[in-house]
Amino acid sequence: MINMTLKDGSMRQFETSITVYEAAKQISNRLGKEALGGIVNGKAVDLSFVLTEDAHLDIVTFEHPVGVEIFRHTSAHIVAQAVKRLYPQAKLAIGPSVEKGFYYDFDVDFTFKLEDLLKIEVEIHKIISEKLPISRFELPRQEAIQFMKDKGESYKVELIEDLPLDVTISFYQQGEFVDLCAGPHLSSTGDAKAIKLLSATGAYWRGDEKRKMLQRIYGVSFPKAKMLEEHLLLLEEAKKRDHNKIGREMELFTTVDAIGQGLPLLMPKGAKIVQILQRFVEDTEEARGYLLTKTPLMAKSDLYKISGHWQLYRDGMFVIPDGDNPDDALALRPMTCPFQFMIFKAAQRSYRDLPLRYAETSTLFRNESSGEMHGLIRVRQFTISEGHLMVTPEQLENEFRGVVDLINYMMDTLGIRQDVSYQFSKWDPNNKGKYVGSAEQWETTQETMKNILDHLQLNYKEAEGEAAFYGPKLDIQFKNVHGKEDTIITVQIDFSLAERFDMTYIDSNGEKKRPIVIHRTSIGCYERTLAMLIEKYAGKFPTWLAPIQVKVLPISDKYQAYADLVVSKLKAQRIRVELDDRAEKIGYKIREAQLEKVPYMLVVGQKEEEETVVSVRSRKEGDLGTKTLEAFIEQIQYEVNNRVLNYE
RNA sequence: GCCCACGUAGCUCAGGCGGCUAGAGUGUCACCUUGGUAAGGUGGAGGUCGGCGGUUCGAGUCCGCUCGUGGGCUCCA
């Protein structure tokens, strides 16, 4: 008799040893049909895993993340099998399940074109219909290495050699195809059902750009064809919110070949939104004790040599030669820190002056590599709500909290707080050359930061090797419509640069001390934030952010004079208004205004003129009936002053 | 920087196995219509098919290079 504790806490007894699959069938018919694998005492296993003793058992289906992983991982193996059949010389690298599906990397002496993917898909469907049983076997380390050597799979050999000595080395076989894999997997290739290949791209072996570029095939898979169709439809829908598409359609920004990559132009409507955000940010920061600075956009190399940028970040900077002497070069600034540090240093500071909080709406330049630019999200010139706080060690935690509070306020005001995730970005101790400062400094700073984050009860994930070169970061991440994650806001604690810049303050004992620096942004960079807002609201911005808040639509040109009066009264109240006085019918004008995503339309005709009112139509709710202009102005001002959010 | 896909009118796109004067919708302009809550009608203008070079009797179409856009890799706000 063995006892299994199920995930709902109930207990189940089985006569003798039994496979996970049989157990699932006995628990329920449905579970037997849908089971993809199991979790036994926290460890994911195949359906064929034999239960021999008491344990916690969780049967996983496609509704469980582990089930999805098993499913997608097997899909990757099927892709690899298909590729090996069509291109026997292809060498296998790795093929994991990832958030958006799965991929498999191959070393081939050509590149996969779209038409190759189609051929591979045909072979995949063959393999699925062959219903090949998938079985697991284990080999001792040396035999495993020899086994893969014999097959000419040099990448697999490298992988095995790098495995920890105590780990069990397992393989999975389906038909003629064998792959090194920890598993678990489905029981048969027939269970993989609906696999779709999405793209072929290049990817460096082990993510190292100095090593060989392999060919990666991305795909996605589901247990039912219908689920796959729905998923593909969802991807299409998401692309309709793409800030690149909406931003260009709504004339928020554009790009021009002759100006260059990563250098978007904000058009009047986009610039208006950024201006609104910037005013809001600067006012809020001032209210919270920040001092505004305005510093140069470029500096001599001397400055960057002190900060470490010249040594560690030179590839990322635009360097401007100055005469014949390379030592006299200027560089456009990639960060504001050294400039604000110099302001700190421009006077003798006392502990009574701290904390000093500097803020600047700062334009930065970063020479991103050419394949990196993306709409407004990755650009070469951007403007960030930058700031640095110089604090004493005692003030650090409180000031850090203050920064997080400011950030939360910003995110709440924009309505995006529930859409972000927190990441604690740490250094990579195995790559010390990328950073300034000692290992001890890094470890203690990270510990300090971790404590603060824990006190703040932020639900963060840790990311090694993601720190800035001068310190660990709290990164606030958001995902774009393609599911790609980017940092929108960041806070960093820096124990290094104060030393490099010889920044000091006099403490209460009259001794010189180094301040701790908090690098932070309150709303991130305006271009990227705008991109995120476009995608968040699909262009239907809240009234306070909408570049055009009201469109006045006269029924005909007989009411032009009244329409002009309405427009001028709104303008006098600083409401952003446009007049559509084209000789078109009202239905047509409404349709256009609606497609332009203007929050309010005011229809004016004979009735309105006689009664001196306006007919209000909202983007969201349609016809709202007539109101006096004063009442409408009051309503819109309420929305603007309170920064009312809307989700449509 | 590397890999994949793409670049045709202001915008969205069709076409393309090399062959008359390159199409549509939408926008824009003119005229008619003066209207009541998501598209009224007619007509006109607008393109050296991203750029440069090559193959050819002939290139928007084929080839090479280049610029740009989108998606990945490395990197990063």
Side-chain angles (χ1 to χ4, degrees), chain A residues 199-216:
Chain A
S199 60
T201 72
Y204 299 103
W205 169 234
R206 301 205 139 174
D208 184 346
E209 66 177 325
K210 289 183 191 73
R211 303 194 67 172
K212 186 161 187 187
M213 175 165 274
L214 308 175
Q215 292 290 311
R216 174 171 299 178

Side-chain angles (χ1 to χ4, degrees), chain A residues 99-100 238 241-244 374-379 407 411 414-425 459 461 466 474-490 521 523-538:
Chain A
E99 198 180 338
K100 289 194 275 178
R241 299 176 86 91
D242 189 332
H243 80 277
N244 261 305
H374 171 58
L376 292 178
I377 288 179
R378 276 296 283 281
V379 293
I407 290 168
M411 292 198 294
L414 296 179
I416 57 172
R417 189 156 161 197
Q418 64 279 14
D419 303 317
V420 302
S421 62
Y422 297 87
Q423 177 176 301
F424 176 27
S425 298
N459 181 19
K461 65 167 198 251
E466 295 290 319
L474 168 64
D475 286 326
I476 297 180
Q477 308 286 104
F478 86 102
K479 278 185 195 163
N480 72 9
V481 290
H482 297 104
K484 183 174 167 143
E485 201 173 79
D486 272 294
T487 302
I488 185 104
I489 294 171
T490 181
T521 163
I523 207 181
C525 63
Y526 290 96
E527 293 81 356
R528 188 175 279 188
T529 301
L530 175 59
M532 187 192 53
L533 289 173
I534 294 170
E535 297 191 354
K536 158 93 185 164
Y537 290 102

